[in-house]
Amino acid sequence: MVQSMRILRAAHLGMCFGVRDAIALALEHADAGPLTILGDLVHNPTVLSALEAKGISVARGPADVRTPTVMVTAHGTSERTLARTRALGLTVIEATCPLVQVAHRAVVALAREGYHVVIVGQRDHVEVRGLTGDLDRFDVVLEDDDVLALEEHPRLGVAAQTTQPVEKVQRLVALIRRRFPHSDVRVMDTVCKPTKQRQSAAVELARQADVVIVVGGQSSNNTRELVSTCARYCDRVHHVQTDADVQPEWFETAEVVGLTAGTSTPDDVIDRVEIRIRSCATMSACVEE
Ligand code: SF4
């Protein structure tokens, strides 16, 4: 008997407006003249190859830039880095996502009001380096142990990397409050709306699916967070970068396959993964017949 399999797409998935606008800005400027991007514009190999094909260079730091114009990614950067870059005589184009700018303003406000800033996020992530780059003192926490290692401050101001799971931020904030009951703990909700929508849609999806496929770059933080969120509700979760990674045996006995994708994944990559899942289902059914 041929197995029937349904593919469910998450209600919110794939590329967010911040990444889409940053790519459009890079392509527009690449048409006007040579352009270098500071770091990865997005953590997605398919998009990065497309930018490379347009002649866009990538540099790890301002000192490595060989073109007159340089672009800051959607992840943003600090005022100090911007000043250092401009001091080299480079023209800077900022593709910083407006929602990352909201997080920057939140951090500035906390610091200005005398709060010791604590960021929930990955210490080495480019966005976190941008958020903390203008602060002389701050802490970054990602796990409970990081909170246990914090020192006491009379005022603690917490903000999050925009792509962190809301539940994790809330858990760590609760832990900070318990650990420092005498401190004034102020929290700024800086997780962006597209991230929240993708996370809640992923939970809905994983609850209904036998298998979940998450599409996105291996180094994309929000994609990896989607994988761990889905894994809490579904035992069979696979992270793929492209359709070539999808394996037919994943779909044996599966009736419902959920499909979601990180905020840097282009629509055509998701579409190709869906086509591949359909063809794998056919192969799997043929094997079972
Ligand atoms: S994930 Fe959120 S903050 Fe980051 S670029 Fe997309 S919309 Fe902006």
Side-chain angles (χ1 to χ4, degrees), residues 103-171:
H104 273 261
R105 286 198 291 275
V107 168
V108 168
L110 287 171
R112 197 180 43 226
E113 290 170 33
Y115 288 88
H116 176 80
V117 172
V118 177
I119 303 288
V120 177
Q122 289 174 299
R123 184 176 304 278
D124 295 327
H125 191 281
V126 59
E127 184 191 316
V128 174
R129 280 193 271 120
L131 286 174
T132 56
D134 295 323
L135 302 173
D136 295 322
R137 296 191 62 208
F138 61 89
D139 281 294
V140 180
V141 296
L142 189 62
E143 303 300 341
D144 293 12
D145 283 352
D146 301 324
V147 174
L148 299 179
L150 288 176
E151 284 177 17
E152 186 161 14
H153 296 267
R155 306 184 107 195
L156 285 161
V158 185
Q161 183 180 353
T162 54
T163 50
Q164 284 297 315
V166 175
E167 284 171 20
K168 176 181 240 179
V169 177
Q170 289 171 343
R171 196 190 77 235

Side-chain angles (χ1 to χ4, degrees), residues 258-272:
L259 179 61
T260 185
T263 53
S264 51
T265 313
D267 292 346
D268 59 324
V269 175
I270 304 171
D271 292 343
R272 281 199 297 275

Side-chain angles (χ1 to χ4, degrees), residues 16-19 74 97 99-100 162-163 192 194-195 263:
C16 60
F17 76 95
V19 170
C97 173
L99 300 184
V100 173
T162 54
T163 50
C192 75
T195 292
T263 53

